Amino acid sequence: MRRTSAETKSIILSAARERFAADGYERATIRSIAADAKIDPAMVMRYFGSKEKLFAAAAEFDLRFDALADVPREQLGAAFVRHFLRQWEAGEALQVLLRTGITNDGAAERMREIFAGQLAPRIAALTGDPASAPVRAAMISAQMLGIGLARYILQFPPVVGMSEDELVSWLGPTIQRYLTAD
Amino acid sequence: MRRTSAETKSIILSAARERFAADGYERATIRSIAADAKIDPAMVMRYFGSKEKLFAAAAEFDLRFDALADVPREQLGAAFVRHFLRQWEAGEALQVLLRTGITNDGAAERMREIFAGQLAPRIAALTGDPASAPVRAAMISAQMLGIGLARYILQFPPVVGMSEDELVSWLGPTIQRYLTAD
DNA sequence: ACTGTAGGCCAACACGTGTTGACAATCAAC
DNA sequence: GTTGATTGTCAACACGTGTTGGCCTACAGT
């Protein structure tokens, strides 16, 4: 009995998040995750049951859009961009989702839930127009996922080289438009 | 001698493109590709040498931006969007690249080559400003890859449900801005 | 000191993978 | 009709995977 079960469980979880974020679902093997956590592969099974369930636990997260509740209308675009960029950098969760959502159907479904279920209602509340909220949410998601893809996954040099402020000045007006256009 | 070698080679290639586009690099197995092509797995090896080389052959393609050579300045944004959307739907090549570029380093590199090497020079020529072309190209790539991701891979319902014209009216001004902003 | 319980490790399983080599079938050239 | 080359098939290889069960090992309660 070296540790409590909750401790090792969380050690495994964070190792899993890193591996999934770096390698995607298929290439992140249970053995490599276990090695990172300095633990036996069988432990991963004991605590999470299967690779799918491990992944489900690792991909759980909250975009925390509530932080944007009282931003003035005209600054919403810039605020959204800044918020997204920080979410990308805060933890591996978004990278996990993007890397895996592309080959793993479960992850794609979760992505849809998150962006439709967390972003759209927020936009409906902010703009007061529930009818157009899903489309606006989808356009904003597409733009911000595209930037995440270019910056963190594909690593296009110009995008990697830009500062947060530069990105905000490029993307802010775009998001603002997706929020408010006709 | 049932067929000529060039024939079977091209049969394998198109089966490979479909599988890579649908499943990504890791999950598209040589056996499944061979099964689709109704051919022995060993043939794939004989003709392409390895899975990596098969992939390299399948991911080869040209974005054909030359088609945009004589579009009036003010319509460039809309024209770009329409061109990209048609490229997405024309063949599986772009989907192959996106699906695989996320887990396969070679594919990511190829993606960088294509977008920096084919798009940026075109933009430099169109705008007459070589210095800012790489950044503009990267921003446009990010937006268009994001839309492709949302529409063809993650299948966000609002994006899937939009017509080409609707997409152009949302995205056209964005691209126009990335082309011409200060 | 003894026992029960819970964390941790090891070895093995069944399976699917990319890849290889030897062998059969089919055609062209002479 | 025989030879030579080219297309196709079969079976097997070495390896890495997710997953399983049995076996230690350390602590808590009595």
Side-chain angles (χ1 to χ4, degrees), chain A residues 39-73:
Chain A
I39 244 174
D40 194 275
M43 290 281 89
V44 180
M45 286 294 138
R46 167 118 79 219
Y47 286 123
F48 291 93
S50 74
K51 187 183 181 181
E52 285 263 359
K53 290 182 192 162
L54 205 217
F55 169 74
E60 202 121 25
F61 92 124
D62 181 359
L63 279 179
R64 308 190 45 74
F65 287 121
D66 52 305
L68 298 171
D70 45 348
V71 173
R73 280 273 152 95

Side-chain angles (χ1 to χ4, degrees), chain A residues 1 3 5 8 31 40 42-43 46-47:
Chain A
M1 271 190 195
R3 277 173 302 231
S5 90
T8 48
R31 280 171 164 85
D40 194 275
M43 290 281 89
R46 167 118 79 219
Y47 286 123

Side-chain angles (χ1 to χ4, degrees), chain A residues 102-103, chain B residues 13-28 33 55 58-59 88 91-100 152-153 155:
Chain A
I102 272 151
T103 43
Chain B
L13 243 181
S14 66
R17 266 194 263 262
E18 277 185 46
R19 275 288 172 183
F20 281 132
D23 296 344
Y25 186 80
E26 341 279 343
R27 294 186 38 190
I33 291 170
F55 169 73
W88 274 103
E92 304 93 345
L94 254 179
Q95 301 192 36
V96 170
L97 274 178
L98 186 46
R99 266 249 165 68
T100 54
Y152 301 103
I153 313 277
Q155 312 210 355

Side-chain angles (χ1 to χ4, degrees), chain A residues 13-131:
Chain A
L13 244 181
S14 67
R17 267 193 264 262
E18 278 184 45
R19 276 289 172 183
F20 280 131
D23 296 343
Y25 186 81
E26 342 279 343
R27 293 186 38 190
T29 71
I30 287 204
R31 280 171 164 85
S32 71
I33 292 170
D36 287 359
K38 294 187 177 59
I39 244 174
D40 194 275
M43 290 281 89
V44 180
M45 286 294 138
R46 167 118 79 219
Y47 286 123
F48 291 93
S50 74
K51 187 183 181 181
E52 285 263 359
K53 290 182 192 162
L54 205 217
F55 169 74
E60 202 121 25
F61 92 124
D62 181 359
L63 279 179
R64 308 190 45 74
F65 287 121
D66 52 305
L68 298 171
D70 45 348
V71 173
R73 280 273 152 95
E74 328 79 55
Q75 298 173 23
L76 267 175
F80 255 105
V81 174
R82 224 173 275 275
H83 185 73
F84 261 110
L85 290 173
R86 294 195 176 151
Q87 289 285 8
W88 274 103
E89 257 147 42
E92 304 93 343
L94 254 178
Q95 302 192 35
V96 170
L97 275 177
L98 186 45
R99 267 248 166 68
T100 55
I102 272 151
T103 43
N104 185 282
D105 281 350
E109 173 60 22
R110 174 150 317 194
M111 203 118 194
R112 265 171 267 149
E113 283 169 21
I114 287 175
F115 281 91
Q118 296 184 24
L119 181 52
R122 206 79 225 170
I123 290 178
L126 289 169
T127 63
D129 180 4

